[in-house]
Amino acid sequence: MSNSPSDASTTAPTATRPKGGLGRLSTGDVLSVADLSTGDIDAVFSTADTLADDRWSFGGALDRRSIVMLFEKPSLRTRVTFEVGPARLGAHVMYFDHSKQRIGEREPVLDYAKNLERWADAIVARTYSHRTLVELAEHASVPVVNALSDLEHPCQALADFFTLRRRLGRVAGLRLAYVGDGNNVCHSLLLLGAALGAHVTAIGPDRCAPDARVLERAQRLAAASGGGACATTDLDAIDGADAVYADTWVSMGAHDSESQRAALEAYQVDAAMMARATSDAVFMHCLPAHRGEEVTPEVIDGPASIVYDQAENRMHVQNALLAHLLLGT
Ligand code: CP
Ligand code: NVA
């Protein structure tokens, strides 16, 4: 979000703000979970709690606001939650399918930003390259929200830790074992968990280790919060985990290879692996899932699985995020 005021944001109504108002976030854009301070996260979770308890609360709060979605990759959860959710708050959402033509191909990213800021109040984008999001945010005066890039999936991690908080009553001190490819979801979980005082361990083969810079950043955050962030190839790290998390072995846009799948085979989450975690450990997955690959059906469809709670909470957390970004004072 650049500094020049947008016509759209200065003319939007204020009369429908939730009673008591919403706190302004310390960031104008959410490209990474690390853009959010712990105060921001607390505020978003608290508003999301209100929405999860009553999804019609704050009805009309985003009346006459317009949100533009630019998606280069397919989506079920992110697309539906960013369309249905803001519509429940009164906003109008437009979806642009960029699967055939990437953002910046028909005209420069700069011009996307400079046009969209004149009409819309926020941009939600799913991109191959994280750089595209950074450029959009540099040039647009309205908030830009990362709906998944090759580097991070912040809305997912926010929903995931919100889900754990609602279910287990706390996040600080929790042990989350992420098993598999050290991808965008893994990065956001490491960073957010570290900021919130949780202990997140990424477990997978060497070739699938998370980005070293992300890990270092998570470790710096963990040092301040009392949490932890680490990566290992050792499956013993699952022992005693409160939550076991799996994601696809091959992310959208990543190179699919026999050798990648072979390297990850030993990291399939099955009942024996879940038995190494705490007796009441939950199983998590951002979805879409591939039963028989990263997780067995008995685990993802079993009693420990909270994957559909995670999916539902995407909507509450994203609505809360948008409400704070657009209405925060
Ligand atoms: N978890 C998630 O982001 O799902 P979609 O790819 O369906 O949006
Ligand atoms: N890591 C996965 C997440 C999908 C929601 C991907 O990027 O494809």
Side-chain angles (χ1 to χ4, degrees):
M1 183 166 149
S2 67
N3 289 328
S4 62
S6 109
D7 181 55
S9 65
T10 53
T11 57
T14 54
T16 53
R17 287 179 189 204
K19 238 179 173 173
L22 287 164
R24 184 191 291 275
L25 300 184
S26 63
T27 178
D29 305 297
V30 182
L31 308 190
S32 163
V33 283
D35 291 336
L36 297 163
S37 67
T38 49
D40 294 336
I41 299 162
D42 276 348
V44 169
F45 280 6
S46 162
T47 302
D49 265 326
T50 307
L51 287 160
D53 291 339
D54 173 8
R55 62 180 61 184
W56 299 109
S57 50
F58 304 157
L62 294 183
D63 190 26
R64 285 179 278 166
R65 304 288 176 140
S66 294
I67 297 163
V68 170
M69 297 167 73
L70 308 173
F71 274 42
E72 295 182 336
K73 298 176 182 178
S75 169
L76 173 67
R77 280 147 293 274
T78 310
R79 177 173 178 180
V80 174
T81 52
F82 267 116
E83 290 206 36
V84 170
R88 288 205 167 130
L89 300 185
H92 168 242
V93 186
M94 287 189 79
Y95 175 83
F96 284 93
D97 177 0
H98 272 279
S99 60
K100 292 188 183 68
Q101 189 177 55
R102 295 207 183 164
I103 303 159
E105 241 176 76
R106 183 164 178 255
E107 54 188 312
V109 176
L110 165 82
D111 285 333
Y112 271 80
K114 289 291 170 205
N115 279 270
L116 291 175
E117 71 179 17
R118 298 295 177 111
W119 309 314
D121 298 284
I123 300 168
V124 174
R126 170 169 283 202
T127 61
Y128 283 94
S129 166
H130 191 76
R131 180 71 215 151
T132 307
L133 288 172
V134 172
E135 262 189 76
L136 275 172
E138 270 169 12
H139 299 300
S141 61
V142 295
V144 176
V145 176
N146 179 356
L148 181 149
S149 70
D150 55 356
L151 190 64
E152 275 207 53
H153 197 358
C155 297
Q156 183 66 53
L158 284 166
D160 296 337
F161 278 103
F162 176 72
T163 303
L164 286 170
R165 193 178 87 140
R166 273 179 82 81
R167 191 173 179 97
L168 306 175
R170 70 193 170 101
V171 169
L174 283 183
R175 295 190 52 203
L176 185 147
Y178 174 95
V179 187
D181 185 31
N183 59 20
N184 43 10
V185 171
C186 175
H187 291 161
S188 292
L189 290 171
L190 280 164
L191 291 165
L192 187 60
L196 295 176
H199 298 264
V200 181
T201 306
I203 308 168
D206 270 333
R207 62 180 285 160
C208 298
D211 183 282
R213 282 161 306 179
V214 172
L215 188 60
E216 275 165 33
R217 192 169 188 190
Q219 284 167 342
R220 283 198 300 275
L221 289 167
S225 72
C230 60
T232 177
T233 58
D234 190 350
L235 282 162
D236 285 349
I238 291 175
D239 294 354
D242 300 293
V244 179
Y245 199 116
D247 185 15
T248 182
W249 285 346
V250 185
S251 285
M252 292 179 280
H255 177 60
D256 193 353
S257 70
E258 279 303 315
S259 57
Q260 164 95 349
R261 290 174 183 279
L264 281 159
E265 239 168 57
Y267 295 87
Q268 181 189 64
V269 178
D270 59 11
M273 207 183 271
M274 286 301 293
R276 300 178 70 161
T278 57
S279 56
D280 54 357
V282 293
F283 172 75
M284 305 179 79
H285 196 304
C286 59
L287 306 178
H290 308 83
R291 288 166 174 79
E293 293 187 16
E294 71 270 11
V295 61
T296 59
E298 66 177 330
V299 170
I300 192 168
D301 301 319
S305 176
I306 58 168
V307 299
Y308 304 121
D309 289 343
Q310 294 171 254
E312 175 183 332
N313 287 330
R314 290 288 305 275
M315 184 166 72
H316 305 314
V317 160
Q318 289 161 195
N319 266 3
L321 192 62
L322 287 171
H324 280 272
L325 284 170
L326 297 181
L327 304 175
T329 52

